[in-house]
Amino acid sequence: MGKRVLVALGGNAIKQPDEKGTFEEQMKNVETASKQIVQLVRHGYELVITHGNGPQVGNLSIQQEAAADQVPPQPLVVLGAMTQGQIGYMMQQTLHNILDGDGKQVATIVTQVLVSPEDPDFKDPTKPVGPFYTEEVAKKLSAERGWVVKKVRPTSEKTWRRVVPSPTPLGIAEAKAIRTMVEAGMIVIASGGGGIPVYRNKSGKLEGVDAVIDKDRAGAKLAEEVGSDVLLILTDVEYAMMDYGKPTQAPIRKLTVAEAKKRLSEGHFGAGSMGPKVEAALGFVERGGERAIITSLAKAVDALEGKTGTHIVHA
Ligand code: ADP
Ligand code: MG
């Protein structure tokens, strides 16, 4: 049997930076990504797929606020669930159509990811979400809905935004369901957008909380809980680089756990971009994963065959 691979798709698999995000644009990107994923299926890998949702959830929150006088806005945690369904639909259909005749089932699982209410990020939320507001509107929304709002850009009329915590993912509520489906030969799409953040309340019941979990960190947790051999992080660059953006920039082909820790602490990787990927890769390997790879979508197969990409390994 082929190796089990958790594929974490970056934002570019759904929306390119210069696009508006029309349905047609997103479907075209998802088709390109699906063609690569089907290559992995044809090479015999068992797949669980996760993906980002930044632009989609951002647009959905703008819609909530723009129509707030007609329809009650839904909480951020629900928007997370909505975008899992939205993106899951696009992927399920394109994969189904490309795989036509293989008899392989593709299914999306609405996934809840456990976080701790004691996570330090709840005390000082930093992740901006949704529309920009004037100070007056931001403070009104904060009072009405208990949002934390911050001034996030110095000039222009609307400079305020809601900020939410980005807590550490501790567990995947639906891990067993996902694992059972992969073991039955299905392709599963799960933990989209980093998953729906939930915590255990005082009665021990799950309850949603407005936060955003980094999709690569949640992907690493999911990879661990579904018994993946490999965590494959597909983004828009073929390698994590040393001295990124400097004349001395150079691709990193192999990083041991010890080297990854050292380079992370020295700040070699962009915060909020390559940093969380290297951190997620390191965490997966440290907790017993065989290998984590960071590469571009187009190089997925080559990277799994060891021909390219940044490979994070024990030693
Ligand atoms: P994704 O949507 O796939 O999560 P991100 O934009 O979050 O993509 O992260 C990928 C980006 O990280 C690259 O396009 C690059 O601009 C940036 N980056 C920051 N530091 C590095 C580095 N050391 N090596 C390579 N890319 C880096
Ligand atoms: Mg990212």
Side-chain angles (χ1 to χ4, degrees):
M1 205 168 29
K3 283 195 187 295
R4 188 167 302 166
V5 181
L6 187 300
V7 182
L9 293 172
N12 66 322
I14 311 163
K15 182 184 165 294
Q16 301 299 319
D18 58 345
E19 291 173 347
K20 280 203 168 115
T22 65
F23 176 65
E24 290 74 19
E25 284 168 343
Q26 296 189 82
M27 272 306 248
K28 199 172 136 274
N29 294 321
V30 170
E31 263 169 42
T32 306
S34 295
K35 282 182 189 151
Q36 290 302 318
I37 288 165
V38 167
Q39 288 306 310
L40 302 180
V41 178
R42 304 248 193 265
H43 279 76
Y45 296 106
E46 290 183 353
L47 300 182
V48 177
I49 302 163
T50 193
H51 57 79
N53 74 342
Q56 293 74 27
V57 82
N59 286 348
L60 199 49
S61 37
I62 291 169
Q63 287 177 332
Q64 302 299 302
E65 297 318 316
D69 56 345
Q70 297 165 61
V71 183
Q74 300 299 302
L76 180 65
V77 70
V78 174
L79 306 190
M82 289 161 81
T83 56
Q84 285 188 352
Q86 170 193 11
I87 298 165
Y89 160 64
M90 296 193 284
M91 288 189 181
Q92 271 178 220
Q93 188 175 80
T94 46
L95 285 169
H96 177 98
N97 286 340
I98 304 171
L99 284 165
D100 202 20
D102 278 35
K104 228 176 169 47
Q105 286 276 294
V106 187
T108 303
I109 291 272
V110 173
T111 312
Q112 306 176 86
V113 176
L114 278 146
V115 301
S116 164
E118 309 303 326
D119 192 293
D121 242 68
F122 280 98
K123 292 202 181 66
D124 183 26
T126 51
K127 174 94 186 155
V129 289
F132 288 86
Y133 303 104
T134 60
E135 180 172 357
E136 191 193 347
V137 174
K139 290 193 167 159
K140 185 168 159 275
L141 286 167
S142 172
E144 281 173 11
R145 303 200 205 157
W147 289 0
V148 179
V149 294
K150 276 184 189 164
K151 188 172 177 156
V152 292
R153 56 183 183 194
T155 51
S156 95
E157 191 198 339
K158 294 183 175 176
T159 56
W160 288 65
R161 246 179 137 185
R162 182 184 186 193
V163 288
V164 297
S166 186
T168 303
L170 302 176
I172 312 290
E174 291 77 17
K176 222 182 216 174
I178 298 162
R179 194 174 184 139
T180 306
M181 290 165 75
V182 185
E183 282 167 0
M186 300 176 204
I187 299 169
V188 189
I189 300 153
S191 188
I196 303 163
V198 297
Y199 70 102
R200 277 199 195 282
N201 65 22
K202 290 199 178 79
S203 332
K205 304 291 182 199
L206 294 182
E207 205 173 299
V209 57
D210 281 1
V212 171
I213 305 170
D214 177 79
K215 72 112 186 8
D216 295 307
R217 294 172 83 198
K221 194 74 204 161
L222 178 61
E224 177 192 338
E225 295 202 4
V226 302
S228 285
D229 303 295
V230 181
L231 169 64
L232 179 62
I233 299 178
L234 299 179
T235 182
D236 55 1
V237 287
E238 192 170 341
Y239 297 97
M241 307 273 190
M242 279 302 287
D243 296 339
Y244 182 67
K246 296 182 193 161
T248 47
Q249 164 175 307
I252 303 169
R253 292 169 204 279
K254 184 183 155 190
L255 264 184
T256 64
V257 164
E259 286 164 352
K261 275 187 186 161
K262 182 162 174 280
R263 300 212 177 148
L264 271 172
S265 72
E266 291 166 355
H268 281 291
F269 309 109
S273 57
M274 191 52 74
K277 294 183 200 306
V278 175
E279 191 203 303
L282 165 68
F284 172 69
V285 174
E286 250 191 329
R287 295 191 296 263
E290 183 183 302
R291 170 183 301 269
I293 308 171
I294 301 169
T295 194
S296 63
L297 182 58
K299 300 288 179 181
V301 173
D302 284 352
L304 279 170
E305 289 177 348
K307 294 178 192 156
T308 187
T310 300
H311 292 240
I312 296 91
V313 289
H314 289 273

